[in-house]
Every structure is written in structure tokens, then in C-alpha cells.
Amino acid sequence: MTALAGRVAIVTGSSGGIGEAIATELAAAGAAVVVNSRTQARAEPVAREIRSRGGNAIAVAADVCDSAQVATLIAAAVEQLGGLQILVNNAGAGLVAPSEELREGDWRRLIELDLTAPFLCAQAAARHMLAAGGGVIVNVASALGHTAMPGRAAYTSAKHGLIGLTKVLGIEWASRGVRCLAVGPGCVATELVKENMRRGGFDERDIERRTPLGRQATPDEVARVVAFLASDGASYMTASHVLVDGGWVGYGGF
């Protein structure tokens, strides 16, 4: 695949799980990729693996909740790889807790990481993209940006907000060449989902029963959709949200 040849992409939170799959997929499609995590030690193995497969990748440590570190992340892409055409806001976290017991600190932490950080990254990336004539921002939201489940007040609020943010940015920047989209995974076979199952009182059989396609997604299935949205194949798409949930939201029950 060469659909993204000549482009530079940042994937936040790409040291594992969906983020790692996205970084790997974008590199396979020809993009030079910035692998990001809070620490260099976590980001570097993924970048090294991409390079071992013939791709172009660097590792950059940055806390995406810190605007100064976000600026450093954007600068690294521009200075070391020659530009920035794609940003994937993947970094995020989950939390399962009864709403009446949800601590204020946990609420603030999740909103900061799952909503404020994507805004900071999108804003910083867009300043470069708008000046350079265009780019694509893909926000990794969730099926819970469309619906809700008990015990997920902070996560669901953040993901609903992220879809709203995607629409605003897509509308604002469309005429200046920057597309903004969101992808909404359902249950994906990652460590985060395993932890949510443990805390949320459900298991893989419940997911299989509840999901029309009868299984969890793989990280690669989400990554392929992100790569498409970042490509010219999706050139008439912006300010919208694509579900990759096996029919979860469409089914509507449990």
C-alpha cells in the first residue's frame, strides 16, 4: 500500500493496543510515523518494529495533556520528518465506577485525557496544517460517544464531547483544507477492554451475545478504518463519525 506515501503522521498513545495498530497500519500505507507515549522507553519499541519492517518511524515522548509537550511533539514531526499531514488522537483511558462514588479527581483526569488532550493536539497540529495547506485529523472516540452504559459517566461524557469537537473542527477548517473525523470503536480485544470487563461485571461472552457480529474487534480492524479516513479515498468526508462496533449501537439493547 502506498496510499499515504510522502505524508507524516502522529499517533498519540501508540505504544500499544489500538494506537500501535494504527501507527503500524499508517506506516504500511507509506506514511512516516511519530510513535508517541508518555515515555521514550514505551514508544521506542513500536518505532523500532516499524523500521524493522521497512517503514519510517521515530519515537517521541510527550504528555498530551500538557500544551508545551504537545508543541514539542508537533515540532518533532515537522523538524525530523519534514512536515505533518495526519494527526490521530488515540491516547485515552477508561474508567468504570458508580456515578455517586466517582471521585472528582478521576472525573477531571478522564475528561482531561479523553477530551482536552485531543483538543490541544488538534489545535497545535491545525496551526501547522492550515499554514501548510491541508491535513487530516482523526479522533479515536467510541461507540459510547453515541450511546451510554452504567458506571461510565466520565468516559461517556468525554467521548460524546469528542464527537462534538470533531464536528466543530471539521466545519471550521473544511474550507482551508483540513478534514476532521472521528472513528468509534466498540469492544476491541485490548488490555483496556479486559480491565473494563473486570471492573464492569461482564465478560467476553456478554460482548459476543450483545454484538450482532458476535465477537470483539481486533485493533487492526480499527486501524484500517483510520488509514482509510486519513487517505484521499475519504476526501469528501469531514465533521462526521464512523462506527466500527460490529453493529453494537445499531442493535440498541443488551
Side-chain angles (χ1 to χ4, degrees), residues 187-201:
C187 292
V188 184
T190 63
E191 291 303 314
L192 176 62
V193 171
K194 287 181 182 178
E195 177 65 13
N196 286 343
M197 283 192 281
R198 186 181 71 79
R199 291 178 177 272

Side-chain angles (χ1 to χ4, degrees), residues 1 3-4 22 25-26 29 222-232:
M1 290 178 60
L4 303 178
I22 292 170
E25 185 72 21
L26 297 184
V222 179
R224 288 194 291 271
V225 175
V226 172
F228 167 71
L229 294 177
S231 76
D232 291 342

Side-chain angles (χ1 to χ4, degrees), residues 3 8 28 39 70 73 83 105 108-109 152 160 192 215 236 249:
V8 176
T39 68
V70 168
L73 178 63
R108 291 185 181 277
R109 175 182 62 83
R152 292 158 179 82
H160 273 71
L192 176 62
R215 61 177 178 82
Y236 199 61
V249 171

Side-chain angles (χ1 to χ4, degrees), residues 34-128:
V34 177
V35 177
N36 160 256
S37 185
R38 283 193 176 94
T39 68
Q40 196 74 13
R42 285 176 57 84
E44 183 56 44
V46 177
R48 188 184 308 121
E49 178 63 22
I50 289 172
R51 293 194 296 268
S52 76
R53 299 181 184 184
N56 185 5
I58 62 171
V60 178
D63 181 346
V64 293
C65 294
D66 182 327
S67 59
Q69 293 188 48
V70 168
T72 299
L73 178 63
I74 303 300
V78 175
E79 294 168 8
Q80 297 184 47
L81 296 177
L84 178 62
Q85 290 78 37
I86 300 166
L87 167 68
V88 181
N89 279 314
N90 169 76
L95 177 65
V96 179
S99 295
E100 72 275 15
E101 298 175 9
L102 181 60
R103 295 179 296 184
E104 180 182 347
D106 288 336
W107 167 273
R108 291 185 181 277
R109 175 182 62 83
L110 210 67
I111 295 297
E112 183 176 37
L113 181 56
D114 287 0
L115 181 56
T116 303
F119 170 72
L120 295 176
C121 291
Q123 184 182 59
R127 287 169 177 159
H128 172 81

Side-chain angles (χ1 to χ4, degrees), residues 156-215:
T156 298
S157 297
K159 294 303 184 178
H160 273 71
L162 185 56
I163 292 172
L165 177 65
T166 299
K167 293 175 181 178
V168 172
L169 300 184
I171 293 166
E172 281 193 34
W173 298 334
S175 64
R176 292 185 281 170
V178 174
R179 297 188 294 111
C180 190
L181 295 145
V183 60
C187 292
V188 184
T190 63
E191 291 303 314
L192 176 62
V193 171
K194 287 181 182 178
E195 177 65 13
N196 286 343
M197 283 192 281
R198 186 181 71 79
R199 291 178 177 272
F202 64 100
D203 59 26
E204 191 167 346
R205 287 170 297 181
D206 294 320
I207 294 172
E208 291 170 353
R209 175 179 55 79
R210 170 61 180 75
T211 305
L213 284 183
R215 61 177 178 82

Side-chain angles (χ1 to χ4, degrees), residues 224-251:
R224 288 194 291 271
V225 175
V226 172
F228 167 71
L229 294 177
S231 76
D232 291 342
S235 58
Y236 199 61
M237 297 177 68
T238 197
S240 62
H241 179 236
V242 179
L243 286 164
V244 188
D245 68 342
W248 180 285
V249 171
Y251 178 51

